[in-house]
Amino acid sequence: MLLDQSSFFCPTRIVMGAGSTGQLRSILDGFAATRVFLAVDQALLESPFLADVLATLRAVGAVFEIFSEIEPDPHDTSVEQALALCGRLKAELILAVGGGSTIDVAKAVAIVSTNGGRIHDYEGIEKFSTAPLPLIAVPTTAGTGSEVSGSCVITDTARGLKMSIRHASLNPARVAILDPLALRTVPPHVACHSGLDAFVHAFESYISRNANPLTDAVNLHAMRLISASIGPMVANPENAEAALDMLAGSALAGIAFGQTGLGNVHCMARFLGAKYHLSHGLSNALCLPVVARFNMIASPEKYAEIARAMGCAVEGLSRMEAAEAAVAAISRLCADLGIPTHLAEVGVREEHIPELADLCLGAGYNRWNPRTTSKREFEELFRQAL
């Protein structure tokens, strides 16, 4: 098949490996910044891991302020509070140590610090042109890939909707440190939900209408790493090998999905999460099995490759049988990790489905999802998941 013109790039320098946070001092020296705004997960404030980061900042003589009032699926009000503190500091650099929510707030602050206005002004694709403040990101969960992706997601509290702010070249962190030692204190349910979020990024990016041979290679390996490592990491956060594979898989998917777009899983999860106050990772996991089956007929060859990447024995199977094996493997992965099998278990109500379907249709994910989806089909997907 002849592809439309496409491109692939990753503007982030990635440093990885157990103890790689020890390279922070030399990374900071490369920016020659003395005033550092530090965005941190609140749960890390008393951790030895953060203590080492703070010791490094003091050792290089940095003046810094810490902001930790960051909720899951962060709100615009948190961005405004962080921005005010960053402005008073006159920060030259932002350092984010935390999960996707913390990194997203750091990215939003970086954007508004140099472009002015409010984060709401930049909702959409490439709505700003001035480079944000430089950002170093140290993810402490393996899920969003925010450290390398071109997007950040902030909840508009007035509208009750999540805003996606996207810029493939200007929004990723300048440097990402993937240190599995940073994941040792992640609660099992967070590791599970964030890890499945990473899997969905790779899965939807792989089957996207905008996929290309380079993103295909990246996403297949991401799914291979994540599907093999998520169980061991959830079971034992001290498993540094599994944690590093999860961080690498999450980053690979994060690099790719910003260039390909995502699909119906993220579309449905976006509005479910906002309406029912569910975590982003859980919302994705709840929608994944039904959407995986719905999209199968649009790309059975790719589904067969997904089955292989997930360790399924597909030799001798027909194309559709191999594709079915991928759907079964995805459903089994969610079940093995204890994801609820019905939306009703987390409070979703039948009467809200038409409203949710309307929002999904208006969000424009048909430009990326491999199977064109009508409002009626969105309603049916929600009902199948209910």
Coordinates of all heavy atoms in Angstrom, one line a residue, residues 44-128:
L44 N 5.6 11.8 46.8 CA 7.1 11.6 46.8 C 7.8 12.6 47.8 O 9.0 12.5 47.9 CB 7.6 11.9 45.4 CG 7.2 10.9 44.3 CD1 7.6 11.4 43.0 CD2 7.8 9.5 44.6
L45 N 7.1 13.5 48.4 CA 7.7 14.6 49.2 C 8.7 14.1 50.2 O 9.7 14.7 50.5 CB 6.6 15.5 49.8 CG 5.9 16.4 48.8 CD1 4.8 17.2 49.5 CD2 6.9 17.3 48.0
E46 N 8.3 13.0 50.9 CA 9.2 12.4 51.9 C 10.0 11.2 51.5 O 10.7 10.6 52.3 CB 8.3 12.0 53.1 CG 7.4 13.1 53.7 CD 8.2 14.3 54.2 OE1 9.3 14.1 54.7 OE2 7.7 15.4 54.0
S47 N 10.1 11.0 50.2 CA 10.8 9.8 49.7 C 12.3 10.0 49.6 O 12.8 11.1 49.3 CB 10.3 9.4 48.3 OG 10.6 10.4 47.3
P48 N 13.1 9.0 49.8 CA 14.5 9.1 49.6 C 14.9 9.4 48.1 O 15.9 10.1 47.9 CB 15.0 7.7 49.9 CG 14.0 7.1 50.8 CD 12.7 7.7 50.3
F49 N 14.0 9.0 47.2 CA 14.3 9.3 45.8 C 14.3 10.8 45.6 O 15.2 11.4 44.9 CB 13.3 8.7 44.9 CG 13.6 8.8 43.4 CD1 14.5 8.0 42.8 CD2 12.9 9.8 42.7 CE1 14.7 8.2 41.4 CE2 13.2 10.0 41.3 CZ 14.1 9.2 40.7
L50 N 13.3 11.5 46.1 CA 13.2 13.0 45.9 C 14.3 13.6 46.7 O 14.9 14.7 46.3 CB 11.9 13.5 46.3 CG 11.7 15.0 46.1 CD1 11.8 15.4 44.7 CD2 10.4 15.5 46.7
A51 N 14.7 13.1 47.9 CA 15.7 13.7 48.7 C 17.0 13.7 47.9 O 17.8 14.7 47.9 CB 15.9 12.9 50.0
D52 N 17.3 12.7 47.1 CA 18.5 12.7 46.3 C 18.4 13.7 45.2 O 19.4 14.4 44.9 CB 18.7 11.3 45.6 CG 19.1 10.2 46.6 OD1 19.5 10.6 47.7 OD2 18.9 9.0 46.3
V53 N 17.2 13.9 44.6 CA 17.1 15.0 43.6 C 17.3 16.4 44.2 O 18.0 17.2 43.6 CB 15.7 14.9 43.0 CG1 15.4 16.1 42.1 CG2 15.5 13.6 42.2
L54 N 16.8 16.6 45.4 CA 17.0 17.9 46.0 C 18.4 18.1 46.4 O 18.9 19.2 46.3 CB 16.1 18.0 47.3 CG 14.6 17.9 47.1 CD1 13.8 18.0 48.4 CD2 14.1 18.9 46.1
A55 N 19.1 17.1 46.8 CA 20.5 17.2 47.1 C 21.3 17.6 45.9 O 22.3 18.4 46.0 CB 21.0 15.8 47.7
T56 N 20.9 17.1 44.8 CA 21.6 17.4 43.5 C 21.4 18.9 43.2 O 22.3 19.6 42.8 CB 21.1 16.5 42.3 OG1 21.4 15.2 42.6 CG2 21.8 16.9 41.0
L57 N 20.2 19.4 43.3 CA 19.9 20.8 43.1 C 20.7 21.7 44.0 O 21.2 22.7 43.6 CB 18.4 21.0 43.3 CG 17.4 20.4 42.2 CD1 16.0 20.7 42.6 CD2 17.7 21.1 40.8
R58 N 20.8 21.3 45.3 CA 21.6 22.1 46.2 C 23.1 22.1 45.8 O 23.8 23.1 45.9 CB 21.3 21.6 47.6 CG 19.9 21.8 48.1 CD 19.7 21.5 49.6 NE 18.3 21.6 50.0 CZ 17.5 20.6 50.2 NH1 17.9 19.3 50.0 NH2 16.3 20.8 50.6
A59 N 23.5 20.9 45.4 CA 24.9 20.8 45.1 C 25.3 21.7 43.9 O 26.5 22.1 43.8 CB 25.2 19.3 44.7
V60 N 24.4 21.9 43.0 CA 24.8 22.8 41.8 C 24.4 24.2 42.1 O 24.6 25.1 41.2 CB 24.0 22.3 40.5 CG1 24.4 20.9 40.2 CG2 22.5 22.4 40.7
G61 N 24.0 24.5 43.3 CA 23.7 25.9 43.7 C 22.4 26.5 43.1 O 22.3 27.7 43.0
A62 N 21.5 25.6 42.8 CA 20.2 26.1 42.2 C 19.3 26.7 43.3 O 19.2 26.2 44.4 CB 19.5 24.9 41.5
V63 N 18.6 27.7 42.9 CA 17.5 28.2 43.7 C 16.2 27.6 43.1 O 16.0 27.6 41.9 CB 17.4 29.8 43.5 CG1 16.2 30.3 44.3 CG2 18.7 30.4 44.0
F64 N 15.4 27.0 44.0 CA 14.3 26.2 43.5 C 13.1 26.4 44.4 O 13.2 26.7 45.6 CB 14.6 24.8 43.3 CG 15.0 24.0 44.5 CD1 14.1 23.4 45.3 CD2 16.4 24.0 44.9 CE1 14.5 22.7 46.5 CE2 16.7 23.3 46.1 CZ 15.8 22.7 46.9
E65 N 11.9 26.2 43.8 CA 10.7 26.1 44.5 C 10.0 24.8 44.2 O 10.0 24.4 43.0 CB 9.7 27.3 44.2 CG 10.2 28.6 44.7 CD 10.0 28.9 46.2 OE1 9.3 28.0 46.8 OE2 10.4 29.9 46.7
I66 N 9.3 24.2 45.1 CA 8.6 23.0 44.9 C 7.1 23.2 44.9 O 6.5 23.9 45.7 CB 8.9 22.0 46.0 CG1 10.4 21.6 46.1 CG2 8.0 20.7 45.9 CD1 10.8 20.7 47.3
F67 N 6.4 22.6 43.8 CA 5.0 22.7 43.8 C 4.5 21.2 43.7 O 4.9 20.5 42.8 CB 4.5 23.4 42.5 CG 3.0 23.5 42.4 CD1 2.3 24.5 43.1 CD2 2.3 22.6 41.6 CE1 0.9 24.6 43.1 CE2 0.9 22.7 41.5 CZ 0.2 23.7 42.2
S68 N 3.6 20.9 44.6 CA 3.1 19.5 44.7 C 1.6 19.3 44.8 O 1.1 18.2 44.9 CB 3.7 18.8 45.9 OG 3.3 19.4 47.1
E69 N 0.9 20.5 44.7 CA -0.6 20.4 44.8 C -1.2 20.0 43.4 O -1.9 20.8 42.8 CB -1.1 21.7 45.2 CG -0.6 22.2 46.6 CD -1.0 21.2 47.7 OE1 -2.1 20.8 47.7 OE2 -0.1 20.9 48.5
I70 N -1.0 18.8 43.0 CA -1.3 18.3 41.7 C -2.2 17.0 41.9 O -1.8 16.0 42.5 CB -0.1 17.9 40.9 CG1 0.8 19.2 40.7 CG2 -0.5 17.4 39.5 CD1 2.2 18.9 40.1
E71 N -3.4 17.1 41.4 CA -4.4 16.0 41.5 C -4.3 15.1 40.3 O -3.8 15.6 39.2 CB -5.8 16.5 41.6 CG -6.3 17.4 40.5 CD -5.9 18.8 40.6 OE1 -6.2 19.5 41.5 OE2 -5.1 19.2 39.7
P72 N -4.7 13.9 40.3 CA -4.8 13.0 39.1 C -5.7 13.7 38.1 O -6.7 14.4 38.4 CB -5.5 11.8 39.6 CG -5.2 11.7 41.1 CD -5.2 13.2 41.6
D73 N -5.4 13.6 36.8 CA -6.1 14.3 35.7 C -6.2 15.8 36.1 O -7.2 16.3 36.4 CB -7.5 13.7 35.5 CG -7.4 12.2 35.1 OD1 -6.6 11.9 34.3 OD2 -8.2 11.4 35.8
P74 N -5.0 16.5 36.1 CA -4.9 17.8 36.7 C -5.8 18.9 36.1 O -6.2 18.8 34.9 CB -3.4 18.1 36.5 CG -3.1 17.3 35.2 CD -3.8 16.1 35.4
H75 N -6.2 19.8 37.0 CA -7.1 20.9 36.7 C -6.4 22.1 36.2 O -5.2 22.3 36.6 CB -8.0 21.2 37.9 CG -8.9 20.0 38.3 ND1 -9.6 20.0 39.5 CD2 -9.2 18.9 37.7 CE1 -10.2 18.9 39.6 NE2 -10.0 18.2 38.5
D76 N -7.1 23.0 35.5 CA -6.6 24.3 35.1 C -6.2 25.1 36.3 O -5.3 25.9 36.3 CB -7.5 25.0 34.2 CG -9.0 25.0 34.7 OD1 -9.2 24.6 35.9 OD2 -9.8 25.5 34.0
T77 N -6.9 24.9 37.5 CA -6.6 25.7 38.7 C -5.3 25.3 39.2 O -4.6 26.2 39.7 CB -7.7 25.5 39.7 OG1 -7.9 24.0 39.9 CG2 -9.1 26.0 39.3
S78 N -4.9 24.1 39.1 CA -3.5 23.7 39.6 C -2.5 24.3 38.7 O -1.4 24.8 39.2 CB -3.4 22.2 39.5 OG -4.3 21.6 40.4
V79 N -2.7 24.4 37.4 CA -1.8 25.0 36.5 C -1.6 26.5 36.8 O -0.5 27.0 36.8 CB -2.3 24.8 35.0 CG1 -1.4 25.7 34.1 CG2 -2.3 23.4 34.6
E80 N -2.7 27.2 37.1 CA -2.6 28.6 37.5 C -1.9 28.8 38.8 O -1.1 29.8 38.8 CB -4.1 29.1 37.6 CG -4.8 29.3 36.2 CD -6.3 29.4 36.3 OE1 -6.8 29.5 37.5 OE2 -6.9 29.4 35.3
Q81 N -2.1 27.9 39.7 CA -1.3 28.1 41.0 C 0.2 27.8 40.8 O 1.0 28.6 41.3 CB -1.8 27.1 42.0 CG -3.3 27.4 42.5 CD -3.9 26.2 43.3 OE1 -3.2 25.3 43.7 NE2 -5.2 26.3 43.5
A82 N 0.5 26.8 40.0 CA 1.9 26.5 39.7 C 2.5 27.6 38.9 O 3.7 28.0 39.1 CB 2.0 25.2 38.9
L83 N 1.8 28.1 38.0 CA 2.3 29.2 37.1 C 2.7 30.4 37.9 O 3.7 31.1 37.7 CB 1.3 29.6 36.0 CG 1.7 30.6 35.0 CD1 2.9 30.1 34.2 CD2 0.5 31.0 34.1
A84 N 1.8 30.8 38.9 CA 2.1 31.9 39.8 C 3.4 31.7 40.5 O 4.2 32.7 40.6 CB 0.9 32.2 40.7
L85 N 3.6 30.5 41.1 CA 4.8 30.3 41.8 C 6.0 30.3 40.9 O 7.1 30.8 41.3 CB 4.7 28.9 42.5 CG 5.9 28.5 43.4 CD1 6.1 29.5 44.5 CD2 5.6 27.1 44.0
C86 N 5.9 29.7 39.7 CA 7.0 29.7 38.8 C 7.4 31.1 38.3 O 8.5 31.4 38.2 CB 6.6 28.9 37.5 SG 7.8 28.7 36.3
G87 N 6.3 32.0 38.2 CA 6.6 33.4 37.8 C 7.3 34.1 38.9 O 8.2 34.9 38.6
R88 N 6.9 33.9 40.1 CA 7.6 34.6 41.2 C 9.1 34.2 41.3 O 9.9 35.0 41.7 CB 6.9 34.3 42.6 CG 5.5 35.0 42.7 CD 5.0 35.0 44.1 NE 4.7 33.7 44.6 CZ 3.6 33.1 44.5 NH1 2.6 33.7 43.8 NH2 3.4 31.9 45.0
L89 N 9.3 32.9 41.0 CA 10.7 32.4 41.1 C 11.5 32.9 39.9 O 12.8 33.0 40.0 CB 10.7 30.9 41.0 CG 12.0 30.1 41.0 CD1 12.8 30.4 42.3 CD2 11.8 28.6 40.8
K90 N 10.9 33.3 38.8 CA 11.5 33.7 37.6 C 12.4 32.5 37.1 O 13.6 32.6 36.8 CB 12.4 34.9 37.8 CG 11.6 36.2 38.1 CD 12.5 37.4 38.3 CE 11.6 38.6 38.6 NZ 12.5 39.9 38.8
A91 N 11.7 31.4 37.1 CA 12.4 30.1 36.7 C 13.0 30.2 35.3 O 12.4 30.7 34.4 CB 11.4 29.0 36.9
E92 N 14.1 29.5 35.2 CA 14.8 29.3 33.9 C 14.6 27.9 33.4 O 14.9 27.7 32.2 CB 16.2 29.7 34.0 CG 16.5 31.1 34.5 CD 17.9 31.2 35.1 OE1 18.4 30.4 35.8 OE2 18.6 32.2 34.7
L93 N 14.2 27.0 34.2 CA 14.1 25.6 33.9 C 13.0 25.0 34.8 O 12.8 25.4 35.9 CB 15.5 24.9 34.2 CG 15.5 23.4 34.0 CD1 15.7 23.1 32.5 CD2 16.7 22.8 34.8
I94 N 12.4 24.0 34.2 CA 11.4 23.2 35.0 C 11.8 21.8 35.1 O 12.3 21.2 34.1 CB 10.0 23.3 34.3 CG1 9.5 24.7 34.3 CG2 9.0 22.4 35.1 CD1 8.1 24.9 33.7
L95 N 11.8 21.2 36.3 CA 12.1 19.8 36.5 C 10.8 19.2 37.1 O 10.3 19.6 38.1 CB 13.2 19.7 37.6 CG 13.6 18.3 38.1 CD1 14.0 17.4 36.9 CD2 14.7 18.4 39.1
A96 N 10.4 18.1 36.4 CA 9.2 17.4 36.9 C 9.6 16.0 37.3 O 10.2 15.3 36.6 CB 8.2 17.3 35.7
V97 N 9.2 15.7 38.6 CA 9.4 14.3 39.1 C 8.1 13.8 39.5 O 7.5 14.2 40.6 CB 10.4 14.4 40.3 CG1 10.7 13.0 40.8 CG2 11.7 15.1 39.9
G98 N 7.5 12.9 38.8 CA 6.2 12.3 39.1 C 5.6 11.6 37.9 O 6.3 11.3 36.9
G99 N 4.3 11.3 38.1 CA 3.6 10.6 37.0 C 3.1 11.6 35.9 O 3.5 12.8 35.9
G100 N 2.2 11.1 35.1 CA 1.8 11.9 33.9 C 1.1 13.2 34.3 O 1.3 14.2 33.6
S101 N 0.4 13.2 35.4 CA -0.3 14.4 35.8 C 0.7 15.5 36.2 O 0.5 16.7 35.8 CB -1.3 14.1 37.0 OG -2.3 13.3 36.6
T102 N 1.7 15.1 36.9 CA 2.7 16.1 37.3 C 3.5 16.6 36.1 O 3.7 17.8 35.9 CB 3.7 15.4 38.3 OG1 3.0 15.2 39.5 CG2 4.9 16.3 38.6
I103 N 3.8 15.7 35.2 CA 4.6 16.1 34.0 C 3.7 17.0 33.1 O 4.1 18.0 32.5 CB 5.1 14.9 33.2 CG1 6.1 14.2 34.1 CG2 5.7 15.3 31.9 CD1 6.6 12.8 33.5
D104 N 2.4 16.7 33.0 CA 1.5 17.5 32.2 C 1.3 18.9 32.8 O 1.3 19.9 32.0 CB 0.1 16.9 32.1 CG 0.0 15.8 31.0 OD1 1.1 15.5 30.4 OD2 -1.1 15.3 30.8
V105 N 1.3 19.0 34.1 CA 1.2 20.4 34.7 C 2.5 21.1 34.4 O 2.5 22.3 34.1 CB 1.0 20.3 36.2 CG1 1.2 21.6 36.9 CG2 -0.5 19.8 36.5
A106 N 3.6 20.4 34.5 CA 4.9 21.1 34.3 C 5.0 21.6 32.8 O 5.4 22.7 32.5 CB 6.0 20.1 34.5
K107 N 4.5 20.8 31.9 CA 4.5 21.2 30.5 C 3.5 22.4 30.3 O 3.9 23.3 29.5 CB 4.0 20.0 29.6 CG 5.1 18.9 29.6 CD 4.5 17.6 29.0 CE 4.4 17.5 27.5 NZ 4.1 16.1 27.1
A108 N 2.4 22.4 30.9 CA 1.5 23.5 30.8 C 2.1 24.8 31.3 O 2.0 25.9 30.7 CB 0.1 23.2 31.5
V109 N 2.7 24.7 32.5 CA 3.4 25.9 33.0 C 4.5 26.4 32.1 O 4.7 27.6 31.9 CB 4.0 25.5 34.4 CG1 4.9 26.7 34.9 CG2 2.8 25.3 35.4
A110 N 5.2 25.4 31.5 CA 6.3 25.8 30.6 C 5.8 26.6 29.4 O 6.4 27.5 28.9 CB 7.1 24.5 30.2
I111 N 4.6 26.1 28.9 CA 4.0 26.7 27.7 C 3.6 28.2 28.0 O 3.9 29.1 27.3 CB 2.8 25.9 27.2 CG1 3.3 24.6 26.6 CG2 2.0 26.7 26.1 CD1 2.2 23.6 26.4
V112 N 2.8 28.3 29.1 CA 2.2 29.6 29.4 C 3.3 30.6 29.9 O 3.2 31.8 29.6 CB 1.1 29.5 30.4 CG1 0.5 30.9 30.7 CG2 0.0 28.6 29.9
S113 N 4.4 30.1 30.5 CA 5.5 31.0 31.0 C 6.1 31.8 29.9 O 6.5 32.9 30.1 CB 6.5 30.1 31.7 OG 6.1 29.6 32.9
T114 N 6.2 31.2 28.7 CA 6.8 31.9 27.6 C 5.9 32.4 26.5 O 6.2 33.3 25.7 CB 7.8 30.9 26.8 OG1 7.1 29.8 26.4 CG2 8.9 30.5 27.8
N115 N 4.7 31.9 26.5 CA 3.7 32.3 25.5 C 2.6 33.3 26.0 O 1.9 33.9 25.2 CB 3.0 31.1 24.9 CG 3.9 30.3 23.9 OD1 4.0 30.6 22.7 ND2 4.7 29.3 24.5
G116 N 2.5 33.3 27.3 CA 1.5 34.2 27.9 C 0.1 33.7 27.9 O -0.2 32.6 27.5
G117 N -0.9 34.4 28.5 CA -2.3 34.0 28.5 C -2.5 33.0 29.5 O -1.9 32.9 30.6
R118 N -3.5 32.1 29.1 CA -3.9 30.9 30.0 C -3.7 29.7 29.2 O -3.7 29.7 27.9 CB -5.3 31.1 30.4 CG -5.7 32.3 31.2 CD -7.2 32.4 31.4 NE -7.6 31.4 32.4 CZ -8.8 30.9 32.3 NH1 -9.7 31.1 31.4 NH2 -9.2 30.0 33.3
I119 N -3.6 28.5 29.9 CA -3.4 27.3 29.1 C -4.6 27.0 28.2 O -4.4 26.3 27.2 CB -3.2 26.1 30.1 CG1 -2.7 24.9 29.4 CG2 -4.5 25.8 30.9 CD1 -1.4 25.1 28.6
H120 N -5.8 27.5 28.5 CA -7.0 27.3 27.7 C -6.7 27.9 26.3 O -7.4 27.4 25.3 CB -8.2 28.0 28.3 CG -8.4 27.7 29.7 ND1 -7.6 28.1 30.7 CD2 -9.4 27.0 30.3 CE1 -8.0 27.7 31.9 NE2 -9.1 27.0 31.7
D121 N -5.9 28.9 26.1 CA -5.6 29.5 24.8 C -5.0 28.6 23.9 O -4.9 28.8 22.7 CB -4.8 30.8 25.0 CG -5.4 31.8 25.9 OD1 -6.6 31.9 26.0 OD2 -4.6 32.5 26.6
Y122 N -4.4 27.5 24.4 CA -3.6 26.6 23.5 C -4.2 25.2 23.3 O -3.5 24.3 22.8 CB -2.2 26.5 24.1 CG -1.6 27.9 24.4 CD1 -1.4 28.4 25.7 CD2 -1.3 28.7 23.3 CE1 -0.9 29.6 25.9 CE2 -0.8 30.0 23.5 CZ -0.7 30.5 24.8 OH -0.2 31.7 25.1
E123 N -5.5 25.1 23.7 CA -6.2 23.8 23.4 C -6.2 23.6 21.9 O -6.5 24.4 21.1 CB -7.6 23.9 24.0 CG -8.4 22.6 23.8 CD -9.8 22.7 24.3 OE1 -10.2 23.8 24.7 OE2 -10.4 21.6 24.3
G124 N -5.8 22.4 21.5 CA -5.8 22.0 20.1 C -4.4 21.7 19.7 O -3.5 21.3 20.4
I125 N -4.2 21.8 18.4 CA -2.9 21.4 17.8 C -2.1 22.6 17.3 O -2.6 23.5 16.6 CB -3.2 20.5 16.6 CG1 -3.9 19.2 17.0 CG2 -1.9 20.1 15.9 CD1 -4.4 18.3 15.9
E126 N -0.9 22.7 17.8 CA 0.1 23.7 17.5 C -0.5 25.1 17.6 O -0.4 26.0 16.7 CB 0.6 23.5 16.1 CG 1.4 22.2 16.0 CD 2.2 21.9 14.7 OE1 2.0 22.8 13.8 OE2 2.9 20.9 14.6
K127 N -1.1 25.4 18.8 CA -1.7 26.7 19.0 C -0.7 27.7 19.7 O -1.1 28.8 20.0 CB -2.9 26.6 19.9 CG -4.1 25.8 19.2 CD -4.6 26.5 18.0 CE -5.7 25.8 17.3 NZ -6.9 25.8 18.1
F128 N 0.6 27.3 19.8 CA 1.6 28.2 20.3 C 2.8 28.0 19.5 O 3.0 27.0 18.9 CB 1.9 28.0 21.8 CG 2.4 26.6 22.2 CD1 3.8 26.3 22.2 CD2 1.5 25.5 22.4 CE1 4.2 25.1 22.6 CE2 2.0 24.3 22.8 CZ 3.4 24.0 22.8

